[in-house]
Amino acid sequence: MFRKTMLTGLLAATLGSQAFAADVAAPAPIAAPAPWAFDFAFGGKVMSDYNFRGISQSARGPAINVYGEARYGWLYAGAAYWTTKLPNRPIGEVDLYAGIRPVVGDATFDLGVMYYLYPNETQFITTSPPAPAGFAGIWTANRSNFVEFYGKVGYDITPQLNVGAALYYAPNWLGTGAYGTYGEVNAKYKLPNDFAISGAVGHYWLGTTYGYLGGVNLQDYVYWNAGVSWTYKDFLTLDLRYHGTNLTSQQCFATTGDYRGVFTGSGRSNWCGHSVVATLSVDLQWSKLPYK
């Protein structure tokens, strides 16, 4: 029997926003450390595909995101919502997160925790028929909600060039019982006329699922992205980005439980393949609004 797991996706935050599609909701650019005063960032994005760490969370279709984040000096807490199209059919993905962003010289650190919530999800279980022979079974966890801890750092080598790294750890990834550890390095270079190029390379280490999900050792994989962006007046960004992984279509199916691969009997998924994603983002900050 094929592996009985799925990737319901994550979301939210970003390592330089374009460095990844969803890891903590993409906040407005962080300015130099300000006095300890309250501020609020909010915004959203429209995407041709919600790609999270190399895997589509919207079945290769369009998606939207909205977020709000309260800030007080280095402290922050926020929430984000992403539309999804996943095997367990939640009404979307809700991310709740909090942490600190200390700034030391030219380095910005980000240490925090995020809770991923999938409201109204239904465990994806199939029988044969209607599923083809060999494709009956449990494909998702009973509850996919999970907690992830993260640490990130970005360093301005020059005013134009920023390099960074990030590490994420989930003890119960997507409720499957498997651990999930994701590490990434990234870079962004500012070009004239408000253009920028950026990219990232990451690796996902995944553990073994619960017995009722087959006790499967999930496939580790490498993820990378590269793209170009243009920003208008520090609040509107258009990004065009290539995403890729080293997962085969069969490995992608075993990881995601793609419902199309189940009901067609192909045992394959294109959710992890090479793709180009267009994103239009709006990021606003209360303290910078012209009229308050």
Side-chain angles (χ1 to χ4, degrees):
M1 179 178 293
F2 289 86
R3 294 182 178 179
K4 306 168 183 175
T5 57
M6 58 82 77
L7 177 75
T8 53
L10 299 157
L11 215 41
T14 170
L15 221 100
S17 181
Q18 290 80 18
F20 34 109
D23 300 55
V24 189
I30 302 170
W36 284 76
F38 176 81
D39 205 350
F40 186 73
F42 58 99
K45 60 182 68 177
V46 179
M47 304 157 281
S48 61
D49 178 21
Y50 173 17
N51 186 296
F52 174 72
R53 297 175 188 167
I55 299 179
S56 176
Q57 306 302 296
S58 54
R60 294 291 197 180
I64 61 173
N65 156 255
V66 293
Y67 77 91
E69 180 180 292
R71 299 171 179 173
Y72 184 71
W74 290 348
L75 306 176
Y76 68 89
Y81 171 78
W82 306 76
T83 58
T84 60
K85 192 172 183 181
L86 299 163
N88 57 343
R89 295 178 296 169
I91 60 175
E93 176 189 314
V94 177
D95 304 326
L96 306 175
Y97 61 95
I100 61 172
R101 294 192 186 108
V103 178
V104 181
D106 293 325
T108 299
F109 299 87
D110 189 348
L111 305 173
V113 60
M114 178 177 291
Y115 180 62
Y116 298 88
L117 177 67
Y118 301 92
N120 291 353
E121 66 175 306
T122 301
Q123 189 175 25
F124 184 31
I125 303 175
T126 58
T127 58
S128 182
F135 286 82
I138 302 173
W139 298 95
T140 69
N142 183 43
R143 288 290 179 270
S144 300
N145 306 337
F146 72 104
V147 173
E148 185 177 63
F149 304 93
Y150 58 86
K152 297 183 276 184
V153 60
Y155 183 77
D156 291 325
I157 295 178
T158 70
Q160 291 76 35
L161 178 61
N162 178 275
V163 296
L167 185 66
Y168 299 79
Y169 174 71
N172 185 14
W173 183 72
L174 289 168
T176 62
Y179 68 82
T181 302
Y182 177 74
E184 179 182 280
V185 293
N186 58 81
K188 180 177 181 179
Y189 188 79
K190 295 180 181 178
L191 300 171
N193 300 316
D194 299 315
F195 282 90
I197 54 174
S198 59
V201 177
H203 191 283
Y204 228 135
W205 293 269
L206 297 168
T208 302
T209 67
Y210 289 129
Y212 80 92
L213 292 171
V216 174
N217 185 15
L218 297 176
Q219 179 68 48
D220 297 347
Y221 69 92
V222 178
Y223 160 63
W224 56 89
N225 73 64
V228 60
S229 62
W230 175 74
T231 301
Y232 175 73
K233 293 187 176 180
D234 292 329
F235 81 92
L236 184 69
T237 301
L238 178 62
D239 183 84
L240 189 65
R241 187 157 304 273
Y242 159 74
H243 300 263
T245 75
N246 66 339
L247 291 170
T248 67
S249 59
Q250 294 93 336
Q251 291 170 334
C252 184
F253 172 75
T255 301
T256 64
D258 183 344
Y259 51 87
R260 294 173 300 182
V262 173
F263 290 117
T264 63
S266 70
R268 296 172 180 269
S269 174
N270 71 344
W271 289 0
C272 316
H274 305 289
S275 65
V276 176
V277 178
T279 302
L280 180 65
S281 304
V282 175
D283 297 290
L284 301 170
Q285 198 167 325
W286 177 258
S287 62
K288 296 181 179 180
L289 294 179
Y291 304 104
K292 300 190 285 292

